[in-house]
Amino acid sequence: QFSTGGSARPAIWVDTGIHSREWVTQATGIWTANKIAEEYGQDPSVTAILDSMDIFLEIVTNPDGFAYTHSSNRLWRKTRSLNAGSRCVGVDPNRNWDAGFGGAGSSSDPCSDTYHGPFPHSEREVKAIVDFIRGHGNVKSVISIHSYSQMLLFPYGYTVAPSPDHQEMNELAKKAVSDLAAVYGTKYTFGSIADTIYMAGGTTVDWAYDHGVKYSFTLELRDTGRHGFLLPSSQILPTATETWPALLDIMVHALEHPY
Amino acid sequence: DIKDVGHKYYLELELEDVLDKDSTVNCTAEVLYHLGNKNIAPDVQFTLEGELKSTEEADHVFYTRIRSLEKELVAENIPDSHGHVPPELEPLHLLAWVASGYLVWQNSTENTQLQLAQIKHVKQVKRSDEYLQFDYVVLLHEMVSQEIIPWEMTVLWHPRDGVQVTWNSRQPGHTSG
């Protein structure tokens, strides 16, 4: 939690590493944590944000999965929960949220990498965030960070119908992607999840949005497939550095557009 | 949309040399995905507008090096967990990439997006003829399902003839564990 005081201030939630194999995201989370702390009192935008809002950053959002990518299977995506009646392990934590749960783009097969789980929020990693955001009551933005594809996405994934705030989200995404590209020329596409990447029921940002968190975005970081999940560690700093202005754009927008 | 046949896509591509980002060649292509039977690979026609760089010297160096190895080459996890490839294994990595391209082509539909994720294992098999043979186990990542698909393939290569995938076999699930 990054806070300069107050109580129950409007807040921004950021998570990285919900899919354990997406290693550039946890690394970006650490860099971003340092950046936020460094820039308070230095950068006018960061200072303005933290003077009125809190930032919550969860870096290893899927710890069991992350441990497993180190010990056994570098390309593990899901949680490590045991599935009753199956030899297959784990639930896709980004299909386990109660928004379009069980819909297109998620699987009912425990052996699948998009298995949605036996019921919404069955995964403790997901339930913990649900309880936190509900309990907090004043979260204004959720940014969930993934890799790879180089995309900035917003609801919905569970339906092709545009969200009521589609226009505003689209404009903000356009700006954020432009500011990201200005750093090293990295090109991102943007749009709703269903339009831009694929249909996906039960995602983090769809749940957050449907529970009153308007500025809910998913980022897919570098690259576009050449290295994929095995992004060389030499690209961590450039990735985190270019992502920062995009994050800042979203946070500043949340600050300047209270609701 | 071609009635009773399938869906045709017209593409304009810019090909970038992996080893030299400033070297690009334009390309036009037509891809036809067949209706119905999903087991037929899409038809691909393409025209290169320009020439690809010659790799004769590097090919020769690699060929000679592998032919002169006393023990058959064996390697695992390319790239490693941190995305690194030891320089002497880079040609094997590039070879796998090209060969996987064949697997991707043969197994693509309009609803898949396949990429080579990692070489799990590669073993050189010495031959009495002039070809180099490498038996690979690669992991392909399918974006829409998010699955990691292990795939075995036998790859032959010679500087004169290029790459051939002479045998391949999709393996059962990677996520069972």
Side-chain angles (χ1 to χ4, degrees):
Chain A
Q1 175 180 9
F2 298 85
S3 180
T4 60
S7 82
R9 280 185 173 173
I12 296 156
W13 167 274
V14 182
D15 61 73
T16 56
I18 198 170
H19 286 142
S20 38
R21 62 190 179 199
E22 298 166 7
W23 278 18
V24 72
T25 72
Q26 298 94 335
T28 295
I30 299 176
W31 183 94
T32 304
N34 180 251
K35 185 71 169 169
I36 293 169
E38 237 177 25
E39 294 291 15
Y40 179 75
Q42 306 297 322
D43 177 278
S45 299
V46 177
T47 308
I49 291 164
L50 282 172
D51 279 346
S52 319
M53 302 179 83
D54 290 349
I55 300 172
F56 293 93
L57 173 57
E58 185 175 7
I59 296 175
V60 183
T61 305
N62 178 0
D64 290 349
F66 193 52
Y68 198 69
T69 60
H70 285 273
S71 65
S72 308
N73 182 347
R74 173 61 179 82
L75 295 174
W76 189 259
R77 166 185 170 89
K78 299 188 289 182
T79 63
R80 291 293 301 164
S81 56
L82 297 175
N83 292 310
S86 173
R87 66 188 159 78
C88 290
V89 175
V91 168
D92 184 344
N94 200 28
R95 299 291 184 278
N96 187 241
W97 300 71
D98 197 7
F101 178 86
S106 68
S107 173
S108 55
D109 178 1
C111 299
S112 166
D113 256 337
T114 54
Y115 175 49
H116 48 58
F119 54 87
H121 311 164
S122 60
E123 303 313 280
R124 53 191 61 186
E125 297 85 348
V126 170
K127 184 85 168 50
I129 303 172
V130 167
D131 289 348
F132 178 81
I133 291 176
R134 273 203 173 122
H136 185 281
N138 210 15
V139 174
K140 298 302 179 187
S141 173
V142 161
I143 305 169
S144 192
I145 302 182
H146 292 253
S147 76
Y148 60 92
S149 281
Q150 293 175 200
M151 293 175 177
L152 178 47
L153 307 166
F154 48 86
Y156 287 114
Y158 71 76
T159 172
V160 292
S163 76
D165 298 297
H166 181 97
Q167 180 91 316
E168 183 186 355
M169 303 285 268
N170 199 249
E171 286 304 307
L172 177 51
K174 192 170 178 191
K175 178 182 191 339
V177 149
S178 168
D179 289 342
L180 188 154
V183 183
Y184 297 116
T186 305
K187 295 192 175 109
Y188 270 53
T189 53
F190 62 95
S192 74
I193 297 167
D195 285 344
T196 314
I197 191 168
Y198 39 55
M199 295 282 299
T203 64
T204 309
V205 293
D206 281 1
W207 177 86
Y209 183 78
D210 279 353
H211 284 77
V213 184
K214 178 156 51 145
Y215 301 116
S216 292
F217 288 90
T218 297
L219 269 160
E220 292 278 357
L221 302 184
R222 291 193 190 183
D223 60 11
T224 54
R226 175 171 172 187
H227 298 97
F229 302 119
L230 303 184
L231 195 70
S233 47
S234 56
Q235 290 200 38
I236 295 171
L237 289 180
T239 302
T241 304
E242 71 191 3
T243 305
W244 172 248
L247 288 178
L248 208 49
D249 280 341
I250 296 169
M251 295 196 289
V252 164
H253 190 91
L255 174 71
E256 293 176 350
H257 297 83
Y259 60 89
Chain B
D1 198 1
I2 304 179
K3 192 165 153 43
D4 298 332
V5 176
H7 299 137
K8 199 177 223 193
Y9 294 83
Y10 297 86
L11 304 168
E12 285 173 21
L13 307 170
E14 188 185 62
L15 305 182
E16 181 188 272
D17 189 336
V18 160
L19 302 175
D20 176 9
K21 291 212 172 309
D22 294 328
S23 174
T24 64
V25 177
N26 287 333
C27 175
T28 58
E30 288 178 16
V31 179
L32 173 64
Y33 290 97
H34 296 276
L35 266 181
N37 190 349
K38 295 299 174 201
N39 290 324
I40 306 177
D43 290 345
V44 180
Q45 309 281 332
F46 70 94
T47 308
L48 280 178
E49 289 156 23
E51 272 176 29
L52 298 176
K53 271 166 51 173
S54 167
T55 55
E56 235 179 271
E57 201 186 312
D59 287 349
H60 180 72
V61 166
F62 173 63
Y63 184 76
T64 312
R65 176 163 71 89
I66 301 295
R67 289 282 280 191
S68 62
L69 290 174
E70 277 187 23
K71 263 181 54 178
E72 287 176 327
L73 189 151
V74 175
E76 293 191 323
N77 295 332
I78 305 166
D80 69 14
S81 286
H82 298 96
H84 299 144
V85 180
E88 68 275 11
L89 294 180
E90 185 60 21
L92 274 169
H93 180 217
L94 295 171
L95 195 59
W97 212 1
V98 174
S100 314
Y102 173 77
L103 299 182
V104 169
W105 169 37
Q106 292 296 303
N107 293 280
S108 284
T109 71
E110 284 163 288
N111 299 308
T112 61
Q113 186 185 317
L114 288 159
Q115 297 278 359
L116 172 65
Q118 191 183 38
I119 300 164
K120 203 65 197 138
H121 189 81
V122 58
K123 186 186 69 173
Q124 178 196 0
V125 175
K126 283 199 183 198
R127 296 170 64 95
S128 52
D129 61 23
E130 56 186 352
Y131 288 91
L132 299 186
Q133 176 179 335
F134 298 99
D135 290 352
Y136 283 93
V137 179
V138 292
L139 300 176
L140 300 186
H141 172 231
E142 201 294 292
M143 184 66 82
V144 179
S145 64
Q146 288 295 333
E147 298 298 332
I148 301 293
I149 310 167
W151 216 297
E152 291 181 11
M153 61 178 182
T154 295
V155 179
L156 295 188
W157 182 77
H158 185 275
R160 183 194 59 225
D161 294 348
V163 179
Q164 288 174 76
V165 177
T166 57
W167 177 84
N168 76 88
S169 171
R170 178 179 175 142
Q171 298 303 302
H174 184 70
T175 52
S176 35

